[in-house]
Every structure is written in C-alpha cells, then in structure tokens.
Amino acid sequence: MLLKWQKQPGAKLFLGSAIAFFLLTLTLVLHRYYSFYATFDQGIFNQVFWNGIHGRFFQSSLSSSLSTNVVHAGEIPEVYYHRLGQHFTPALLLWLPLYAIFPSPATLSVLQVTLVTAAGIVLYFLARLYLEPLLAAMISVSFYGAIAVISPTLTNFHDISQIPLFTFGILLAMEKRKWWLFWLLAVLLLAVREDSGIGLFGVGVYMVLSRRFPRAGLATCILSFSYMLALTNLIMPLFSEDISKRFMMERFGQYATGEDASTVEIIWGIVSNPVRLLLELITPFPGTFLYLLGQWLPLAFVPALSGAAWAIAGFPLLKLFLGQGESVLAITIRYAMSVVPGLFYGAILWWSVHPKVFKPKFQRFWIGCICLSLVITIAYNPNRTLYFLIPDSIQPWVHISAARQWQHVNQMRSLLAQIPPQASVSATTYIVPHLSSRREILRLPGLQLRNDAREVIQVEYIIADLWQLQQYQVAFSGDRQQLQDNTKLIDRLFNTGEYGIVGFQDGVILLHKGVTSIPEATSAWLAFRQQIAQIP
C-alpha cells in the first residue's frame, strides 16, 4: 500500500520537498548553534527546559532579567522567577521527555525543525482531501518554500513553531469529523502561548461563516476568546505583572490610557476608536502591503482571493497590524509563522473550487513564485544563519567566513571549559545559549542575581566575546555601543581588583571573581584593548 501511495503523481515531489527541507534547515540551524550564532532566546528556552527536568518548571534567571520588575523597577533578577507571567506556555511540557534524554540547546533546534517539517506533512494530507496529488504536493512545496516558514525555522527555538502543526491537525480533524481529536488539538494549541487562541478563534469564525459546523465553530470561538481573557487577566498576573505592565504596553500601549493595561482595556481602547483602528490597519501602507505580498508569494497570491484564508488568517494578521514596533511587519521572524496556517488552508479551499486554473502556464508562474520566495529568504540572511555565505554589510564590508568563525569557536571553547557546570556566570549574547544549562546565568552587563536562598550574589565568572562585536561594529551602531560598554565594564572590574582576568583567546575574555589575574592573559587583553581603543 505504501509503494502504491508513493507511485501517485506528486507523492515524490511532496516527499522530496519534505526531506530536503528537513535536512537543509537542520544542517543550517545546527551549524548556526555550534558556530555560536544562536542568541539570547535560545538560552532562555534551554534554561526553561533544563530547569524543567530538574523539577523547577518554567523558571529562568534569563527570563527574569527581562521582567518588568527588573526592566522598569530596577530589581535584581531571580533564579526562581516563573516565566509563565511573561508567556504562558504549558505545551512545552510535551517535549520535556525528549529534552530529558538529550539535554542540550541543540535538541531544541532539532525539535523545531521536526515540528515544522511535520506540519508540512499534515498539510499535504489535508490538501489531499480536496485536491489531486500533484496540486496537493505543490501546496506542500509552497509551505516549505515560504519566507514565513523558512526564516522562523532558522532562528532560535520558539514556541510558535508548534502552531502550524497543531492548527493543520485541527483542520484535518475537522474535515474528517474526528471531534475528539479536534478538541484535544484545540486545547494543545491554546497551551502553546497566551495569544495562540487568536488563530483558533479564526478557525471557529470560519466554521460559523461557512455554515459547515456552526455549533462547533461557535463553541470554538467562545472557548478560545474566554480562555485568552481569563488567562491574561486572572492567571498570568498570579505569576508576575509582566503581561499588563510590559508586554501589553510595549505592543499595544497606544490604545492604553495609563502606565499599564489589561487585555480587556486594550480591546476596549481598540474598538472604541474605529478611526484609529482603521489607520492602524492600513499604516504604514507600503510596509503592510509588502508584508501581505510576502505571505501570499509562495502560494502564487491565491490566498488574497480566498474568503477562508481571510477568515482564519485575518485574526492573527489583525493582531500584528494593530501592534506597534518594527517586528510586527517583519516576515522573517517568528510572529509571521502564526499567519501561515490560515493562508494555506484558504488556498486549498480556493483550489478545490478552481482546479481548472492549474494549467501548465500557471504552474510555471507558481514555481517562479516559490523560487522568488527562496531567493528573497536567502537574500534576507535570516537571523544571520547564512553569515558565512551572505555578507552582513556591503559598504562597509562585513563578512565572516565559516573557516574564520570556526577557528574563533575552537579557541573560545578552551575558555568555556574553565567554567564549572554549577558556577554562576554572565556572558555576552552569543555565548549565553552554550552556558544556559545551569541555574544562575545572566546576560552581560548583568552581574547580580537573587539565588534560591533569596540572597543577592554577584556572578563568579564573566565571559565576553569582544572579537565578534569588533567585526560587526564597523557597520552596526548597536554592536559598537555594546563593545564600548563591555570594554568599560571590564576595565572597571579589572582595575578595582573585583575580578581577575584568567583567560584571553582571540578577543574572548574570561574573568573570575576574587582571584589574581594571570599575567599572560592580562597582557593579551591589554594588547587587544589598545586595538579597540582606536575605534572612533
């Protein structure tokens, strides 16, 4: 039976695209991690998982450093801080047994690629309910070639990578009338994070408006909406005030009247001013339009014509378009992935009504759209994953070859090996993931945290990769500022004798609290210090 299925037209195309996507993205994302290009968020999730297998569920000192108590009130980060006050993500417990077997930040990267690849497989079988094999295969190829799929897969691990798999599973269960599976996956989707119910609400709206399953659709809308309101207004505030004082204000503060706001207050602020609502939806117009084009491109713009796509994807799009900040219209980051399921399901339904459009001329156009999507993705160099191929800047020229980066990594590892597994440490962004399997860790310039004994301590070790900042500072002001700030901090800690320099390799410095500096390491640091002092 398997051989018969494989002989179907389009089956080889589907399987080939799935295998190619898995192998290529897995290779790139692992290379990104092991060559020290994974960043802070990879460290956060790894620490959450690491604490989880030790019975301290959803605790993270790294997340604590981003909390409103630290950012706004100036308090000390805590190792026992519960991240559920920032993002409510119980679905991560599903993958805890896998992490317990392979406890490494790299495991999360493998998990992410696997989740997204599996989503494309479920999508194919969803498409086969309506479409002939070749057309269904083209839908899957489009998924694996989408900017909003590839780019977020090649980044740090994130919870949104679960959304396409669960959503396609919900839609497949709906089509097959497997209601027990539908509701199980609906609960899992809600458990992904506090705002994943927005996509589920869109599914419910489609079920009602299409008149296919009005009662189940209404129940889906009520479940998702009431869950999100109860979660963000009653449950998450039990852990911290981050949802009202930080995240709501940073993303939707333009609709608030005070210094904090609940989701209810934000929703009222949106609906009570329809003129502002309309302006937020369409401005900035070029950015909004280009974002939609980027989402539609791998599907040859078909979702723009699909009512089902607008019904389901419209609500995640609404959340993005009503928000503020640069990330809302960035198709290469994780938030764009939440829009994908509705667009692809809408495309399936459109093609089920217009199969005659799938002629050779349109097929060539569609293939061209997928190729263009791939070219744009590569040109974007998502999350610097292709740093060894694509220069980060042309003028001035900034490019680090794979050979040079791996030479740098090999020298860095000798310093990392000197840090005991249980020691408290503060590290620069690209080093954080590799040291995050511990209880006490911060990102530089943070030095103090509150331990399990509720005592404020200063970290034992500091490790900073100044070489990488030195390479990028010529073109990026943020890296230049970090280089200057970290240099000043190291100078102060070294000159006061608070920390001793115990290692320096290829622009990476290791300091140990309360010890005497090693002369050779100190000399190497001072020579490097003279180089960066000449930077304007």
Side-chain angles (χ1 to χ4, degrees):
M1 185 175 179
L2 179 61
L3 291 175
K4 181 179 179 181
W5 177 80
Q6 290 177 336
K7 291 180 180 179
Q8 293 179 357
K12 290 184 178 180
L13 177 62
F14 153 65
L15 284 174
S17 63
I19 293 171
F21 177 87
F22 179 81
L23 294 178
L24 288 174
T25 55
L26 183 62
T27 300
L28 289 172
V29 79
L30 288 178
H31 179 267
R32 180 177 183 267
Y33 168 73
Y34 283 112
S35 64
F36 282 71
Y37 267 80
T39 54
F40 189 64
D41 281 358
Q42 186 86 3
I44 288 179
F45 279 103
N46 182 67
Q47 192 185 34
V48 168
F49 273 89
W50 185 86
N51 273 321
I53 63 174
H54 290 86
R56 299 182 286 258
F57 300 105
F58 300 104
Q59 294 183 15
S60 171
S61 61
L62 293 171
S63 283
S64 181
S65 67
L66 299 178
S67 67
T68 186
N69 290 346
V70 174
V71 175
H72 298 134
E75 296 183 10
I76 302 297
E78 303 163 342
V79 298
Y80 46 86
Y81 171 83
H82 283 86
R83 188 175 180 270
L84 296 177
Q86 291 181 10
H87 294 295
F88 200 80
T89 57
L92 294 180
L93 295 174
L94 291 171
W95 321 115
L96 203 58
L98 173 66
Y99 184 86
I101 299 173
F102 306 103
S104 166
T107 300
L108 303 184
S109 297
V110 176
L111 172 61
Q112 180 154 285
V113 171
T114 304
L115 287 170
V116 179
T117 305
I121 294 173
V122 175
L123 172 63
Y124 174 77
F125 288 103
L126 178 61
R128 282 291 291 116
L129 297 178
Y130 284 96
L131 309 175
E132 53 90 12
L134 182 58
L135 186 49
M138 284 295 292
I139 294 286
S140 292
V141 173
S142 299
F143 176 82
Y144 292 130
I147 305 170
V149 172
I150 300 175
S151 295
T153 304
L154 295 178
T155 187
N156 304 312
F157 177 83
H158 55 88
D159 37 33
I160 296 177
S161 61
Q162 303 164 95
I163 288 181
L165 176 60
F166 290 157
T167 306
F168 289 141
I170 287 170
L171 294 169
L172 184 60
M174 178 193 73
E175 294 289 355
K176 288 182 171 291
R177 277 71 166 175
K178 303 286 186 181
W179 295 111
W180 66 269
L181 181 58
F182 177 93
W183 294 114
L184 173 61
L185 291 173
V187 171
L188 290 177
L189 179 59
L190 290 175
V192 168
R193 50 186 282 146
E194 67 283 353
D195 56 358
S196 57
I198 296 175
L200 183 62
F201 185 85
V203 173
V205 169
Y206 162 74
M207 295 167 72
V208 172
L209 295 181
S210 66
R211 300 181 181 179
R212 297 181 63 194
F213 312 102
R215 292 183 180 179
L218 182 60
T220 301
C221 291
I222 294 173
L223 171 66
S224 57
F225 189 72
S226 58
Y227 174 80
M228 288 187 291
L229 286 184
L231 180 62
T232 55
N233 289 277
L234 299 176
I235 299 176
M236 293 179 67
L238 296 176
F239 296 96
S240 70
E241 297 179 307
D242 287 288
I243 189 68
S244 60
K245 289 191 173 181
R246 182 174 171 228
F247 291 96
M248 281 295 164
M249 297 305 295
E250 289 180 358
R251 187 65 70 198
F252 303 105
Q254 69 271 36
Y255 308 108
T257 56
E259 295 183 357
D260 58 7
S262 66
T263 50
V264 174
E265 292 170 327
I266 293 297
I267 291 173
W268 175 248
I270 292 173
V271 301
S272 62
N273 194 331
V275 175
R276 181 174 60 186
L277 169 61
L278 180 61
L279 290 175
E280 289 284 346
L281 284 175
I282 63 176
T283 57
F285 176 74
T288 301
F289 185 63
L290 289 174
Y291 182 86
L292 289 172
L293 289 180
Q295 289 279 13
W296 296 334
L297 176 62
L299 287 165
F301 307 102
V302 163
L305 307 175
S306 171
W310 285 106
I312 300 176
F315 290 93
L317 280 172
L318 184 67
K319 171 182 173 286
L320 292 175
F321 291 167
L322 292 179
Q324 60 184 353
E326 297 180 0
S327 62
V328 295
L329 294 179
I331 197 171
T332 59
I333 65 175
R334 60 188 181 276
Y335 304 115
M337 191 175 273
S338 63
V339 180
V340 167
L343 298 180
F344 277 78
Y345 180 68
I348 291 171
L349 295 184
W350 188 91
W351 277 112
S352 69
V353 179
H354 306 88
K356 294 182 179 180
V357 179
F358 192 63
K359 296 179 179 179
K361 185 176 181 179
F362 191 89
Q363 292 175 27
R364 290 192 293 271
F365 172 70
W366 193 349
I367 292 171
C369 288
I370 296 173
C371 292
L372 180 58
S373 179
L374 291 171
V375 170
I376 292 174
T377 304
I378 294 172
Y380 263 120
N381 186 15
N383 311 293
R384 286 181 173 171
T385 304
L386 302 175
Y387 70 90
F388 55 96
L389 294 176
I390 309 295
D392 284 271
S393 174
I394 303 297
Q395 184 62 39
W397 181 262
V398 177
H399 176 247
I400 299 176
S401 67
R404 180 64 183 94
Q405 180 64 20
W406 278 102
Q407 180 187 18
H408 179 66
V409 167
N410 290 333
Q411 297 190 59
M412 195 185 327
R413 290 195 181 280
S414 63
L415 299 179
L416 293 173
Q418 298 180 41
I419 304 175
Q422 301 300 323
S424 57
V425 61
S426 181
T428 45
T429 295
Y430 292 97
I431 300 179
V432 163
H434 297 264
L435 294 173
S436 56
S437 297
R438 66 186 66 230
R439 186 70 169 157
E440 300 169 346
I441 181 172
L442 295 171
R443 176 169 56 180
L444 209 65
L447 297 178
Q448 290 185 319
L449 51 77
R450 197 176 297 274
N451 62 16
D452 284 307
R454 270 51 174 181
E455 299 172 342
V456 176
I457 64 168
Q458 194 145 318
V459 297
E460 300 169 68
Y461 289 87
I462 298 172
I463 185 166
D465 185 355
L466 302 177
W467 177 83
Q468 190 171 57
L469 294 173
Q470 181 189 30
Q471 306 311 302
Y472 285 105
Q473 60 82 28
V474 296
F476 302 99
S477 58
D479 293 284
R480 188 180 310 115
Q481 187 62 52
Q482 285 187 50
L483 179 61
Q484 294 172 353
D485 293 344
N486 289 338
T487 300
K488 291 177 182 177
L489 177 62
I490 293 169
D491 282 342
R492 177 175 64 81
L493 297 174
F494 168 64
N495 292 331
T496 60
E498 196 171 353
Y499 286 80
I501 300 174
V502 295
F504 188 89
Q505 296 282 346
D506 197 26
V508 182
I509 187 169
L510 177 65
L511 299 97
H512 190 184
K513 188 175 183 292
V515 303
T516 303
S517 297
I518 296 176
E520 294 83 356
T522 303
S523 298
W525 157 248
L526 293 176
F528 182 82
R529 181 70 180 82
Q530 289 182 343
Q531 294 179 26
I532 58 180
Q534 300 173 7
I535 297 174

